[in-house]
Amino acid sequence: MDVVGLTPVIPVIFAFALPLTSIIVKGNRKIIQAYALLGTGLTLISALKLFELVYSSEKPPIYTFGGWTAPIGIIYEVDRTGALITLLTAALMFLIAIYSYRYLEHEEGLEWYYTLYLGLEAGLIGVLLTGDAFNLFVMIEVTSIAAYALVAFYRGRKDAVHAALKYAFIGAIGTTMYFLALGILYGAFGTVNLADLSAKVHGLSFPVTGSPVGNIVIASGVALALATWAFLIKAAIVPNHFWLPEAHPAAPSPISAVLSGLVVNVGVYALIRFLYTVYGGELTPGLAKIVGTLGTVVIALGAVSALFGALMMNAQRDVKKLIAYSTIMHMGYLFMAVGLGTQLGLQAALFHIINHAIAKALLFLAAGMFIHAIGSRDINDMAGLGRQMPMATLGLAIATLSLVGIPPFNVFFSKLLLFDALMEKSLALAMVIVVSSVTALVAYMRVFYKIWLGKPSREVAVGESKSMAFVVLLLAAAVVVIGLAAPVILQHYIEPAATQTMDYKLYIQTALEYASRLKLL
Amino acid sequence: MSTSEFLWAYLWTVLLLTLAVSLYGIIARPNMLKKIISLTILGDAVNVMVVLIGYHLTYPIAPPILPSLSKEALEGFVSSAVDPLPQALVITAVVIGMAVNMLLAVLAIQLYRLYGTLDVREIAKRGGEE
């Protein structure tokens, strides 16, 4: 069975069949939940198989849709970076589906929730596996539309609808700009396949599509600027961040976890594909100058985001808004690392994507347990709840300690790596990590103090649901285990992934082997 | 400058102006519905641009339909037909754009139900509180 093509298809099928299934089962919540767990579970198994396959083979595996190879058809080409983040995505989506059931017990429309949820998963996995810039556009749109609709899940709430509309608007502008960038790339290079684009950029030959037309330096410059703008919007980097602090808190907490942990990664991953696969390695002087400028801009915006996010965290009363600003801060770190263009930078970014996703999901889910218990997002209303909800408090404690970078939790090690990678460039950039982390620590400690030691504003008896506590504990364990096993994970998973992604020639070569089998008239 | 070159330059100028106007509409118009209309204009301008990228200024230009399946016909076809791939890309983008616009319209209706207005200044003033 070809797991490369299968992995994104499973959630698509489950998503499309769900509305009909829910009519057949007459909206029975238990069956719908079981269905969603089956869908996300099968995707997880498939992602696991894919992960094994990619890490055990030297070359990135390729799936050709309908048997049409690049550059004529759409291909999925999965390198280790893609496979690693796919496994992370599938695992988190499965766990969050378990959590969602109790969180949404008082809400109508579980079937629509899961239709969008599975659609979102399909889009995310498609983004990570695709080897085609246009398919990347389609998959980003699939992810985005599901995300916009999920933000508006509480459709009777003013803040949710307003935030979703704002998010959809800015997102639609971004993806339109990316589409224009694709048109320009196609006009200059005559292809939208990533391997083919990379070959043309590096002056290598590729069958069928011929040689570039016109001035490829100007075309690349305009296209990269537009595409990067779109990715900056998707990842909420200052000055395109303003939708995130409204959209992420307005969604149900499990969706906030998905949005903050996984969906924002789309922007980072797409930028990695463009900067490392298409425009990586040795370039002609004109192109090198453009990529260098872009890297500098990305690093600068990332640094501003990190500091801005950390500062704004201290001004929030809404606990989810506070966590949302922390996401902006961490996205800033990732863009700083990706902008470096070095192998160490890529390794740091990859490891941080994984650690941040797990810790941030844990933080949102733990905070979600409090919100579920009292029905409010205000930190002051949560005062003193900590003692009544030990599991949620434990999750919150581990997540906050990890996110600010306290050893031995996982984010400490990726921050260390980020620090090293940025030190190669300049001390000032490395200090951004330290300063923003300390600022964030202050904000987190305020929340923690309030929840643990604060005086309750009213007497409420609250309990913890077992399934929600289970997911939180599992993620908390993952944070600790990844932290303790950091050197092993770095050596066995992160380093090979970064090495393979840096090696754009291998990426081209693998696609070329398929392309050379094409029989023309 | 020949007529076709003039038309070509004119078309691109108009398209870029349309792009600028639609961005102005998105940023400056306070009415949510006007913003959505501007967004569709932005999408359409970009779609036309991408279709134009597949066009080449050498006559005769034929539509991308293969007359018959032979090697000679194919050679003539490749030298005269417009590039069909941007059109295929645009079809996909149009469909996706429709989905996004539909979602935006639904959200705008819901926004009107909740606030009783589509003026973003008014909505911003009232904030997200219930």
Side-chain angles (χ1 to χ4, degrees), chain A residues 155 158 169 179 183 186 521, chain B residues 35 47 74 83 85 110 115:
Chain A
R155 65 183 191 284
K158 284 179 176 176
F169 229 95
F179 182 63
Y186 181 77
L521 272 177
Chain B
K35 280 181 191 285
N47 286 344
L74 200 63
D83 191 342
L85 193 102
Q110 196 64 23
Y115 284 90

Side-chain angles (χ1 to χ4, degrees), chain A residues 130-208:
Chain A
T130 189
D132 186 281
F134 185 73
N135 195 247
L136 183 69
F137 164 74
V138 175
M139 287 303 172
I140 288 178
E141 284 284 29
V142 171
T143 313
S144 305
I145 293 173
Y148 307 151
L150 280 169
V151 169
F153 181 74
Y154 295 125
R155 65 183 191 284
R157 285 195 196 166
K158 284 179 176 176
D159 63 333
V161 174
H162 189 222
L165 197 54
K166 207 171 185 181
Y167 180 21
F169 229 95
I170 187 74
I173 297 171
T175 44
T176 309
M177 289 304 152
Y178 179 61
F179 182 63
L180 184 59
L182 279 182
I184 294 166
L185 279 180
Y186 181 77
F189 295 103
T191 180
V192 284
N193 183 271
L194 287 174
D196 193 359
L197 277 176
S198 182
K200 299 264 189 304
V201 166
H202 294 99
L204 307 168
S205 71
F206 208 84
V208 183

Side-chain angles (χ1 to χ4, degrees), chain A residues 100-392:
Chain A
S100 298
Y101 183 63
R102 283 299 297 274
Y103 192 84
L104 295 170
E105 61 191 345
H106 306 304
E107 306 294 334
E108 292 279 307
L110 193 67
E111 62 273 34
W112 308 120
Y113 173 85
Y114 275 126
T115 307
L116 292 166
Y117 187 88
L118 287 161
L120 183 69
E121 181 169 19
L124 281 171
I125 291 175
V127 166
L128 296 168
L129 302 189
T130 189
D132 186 281
F134 185 73
N135 195 247
L136 183 69
F137 164 74
V138 175
M139 287 303 172
I140 288 178
E141 284 284 29
V142 171
T143 313
S144 305
I145 293 173
Y148 307 151
L150 280 169
V151 169
F153 181 74
Y154 295 125
R155 65 183 191 284
R157 285 195 196 166
K158 284 179 176 176
D159 63 333
V161 174
H162 189 222
L165 197 54
K166 207 171 185 181
Y167 180 21
F169 229 95
I170 187 74
I173 297 171
T175 44
T176 309
M177 289 304 152
Y178 179 61
F179 182 63
L180 184 59
L182 279 182
I184 294 166
L185 279 180
Y186 181 77
F189 295 103
T191 180
V192 284
N193 183 271
L194 287 174
D196 193 359
L197 277 176
S198 182
K200 299 264 189 304
V201 166
H202 294 99
L204 307 168
S205 71
F206 208 84
V208 183
T209 43
S211 50
V213 192
N215 189 334
I216 61 165
V217 176
I218 292 176
S220 299
V222 177
L224 272 180
L226 288 169
T228 309
W229 185 22
F231 302 151
L232 289 174
I233 289 174
K234 287 289 155 206
I237 296 295
V238 174
N240 301 312
H241 66 285
F242 51 86
W243 56 268
L244 188 142
E246 290 181 34
H248 285 195
S253 292
I255 295 305
S256 309
V258 172
L259 289 174
S260 264
L262 301 171
V263 175
V264 281
N265 291 343
V266 165
V268 185
Y269 178 81
L271 192 68
I272 289 177
R273 271 280 157 265
F274 271 87
L275 282 187
Y276 289 80
T277 304
V278 179
Y279 289 92
E282 290 288 308
L283 295 166
T284 56
L287 285 173
K289 198 168 169 224
I290 283 178
V291 175
T293 316
L294 187 71
T296 314
V297 171
V298 166
I299 290 174
L301 290 177
V304 173
S305 293
L307 294 172
F308 174 82
L311 274 179
M312 288 302 284
M313 279 171 73
N314 284 288
Q316 306 305 321
R317 280 182 64 192
D318 179 339
V319 63
K320 282 173 86 179
K321 221 166 203 172
L322 187 150
I323 308 174
Y325 274 108
S326 148
T327 304
I328 296 181
M329 177 177 100
H330 285 276
M331 284 299 119
Y333 293 168
L334 287 175
F335 270 74
M336 281 161 79
V338 170
L340 288 173
T342 57
Q343 164 137 11
L344 193 60
L346 184 59
Q347 271 179 39
L350 268 179
F351 197 33
H352 197 63
I353 284 179
I354 294 166
N355 290 339
H356 169 251
I358 295 174
K360 188 51 65 69
L362 172 62
L363 187 52
F364 260 123
L365 297 182
M369 286 179 74
F370 290 112
I371 296 166
H372 179 67
I374 57 163
S376 162
R377 304 198 314 238
D378 195 319
I379 295 168
N380 294 325
D381 292 345
M382 291 177 193
L385 279 181
R387 287 149 198 269
Q388 291 185 53
M389 302 178 71
M391 296 303 161

Side-chain angles (χ1 to χ4, degrees), chain B residues 33-108:
Chain B
L33 208 57
K34 294 253 169 78
K35 280 181 191 285
I36 292 174
I37 292 170
S38 301
L39 188 71
T40 62
I41 295 174
L42 175 77
D44 291 343
V46 169
N47 286 344
V48 177
M49 278 179 177
V50 175
V51 169
L52 274 187
I53 285 169
Y55 196 80
H56 37 129
L57 271 185
T58 47
Y59 286 91
I61 297 168
I65 300 163
L66 191 60
S68 63
L69 195 62
S70 70
K71 206 168 181 180
E72 293 75 38
L74 200 63
E75 270 166 10
F77 171 75
V78 168
S79 61
S80 70
V82 300
D83 191 342
L85 193 102
Q87 302 179 6
L89 301 188
V90 165
I91 282 283
T92 317
V94 164
V95 174
I96 292 172
M98 189 208 66
V100 174
N101 288 331
M102 206 107 95
L103 186 74
L104 279 169
V106 169
L107 288 174

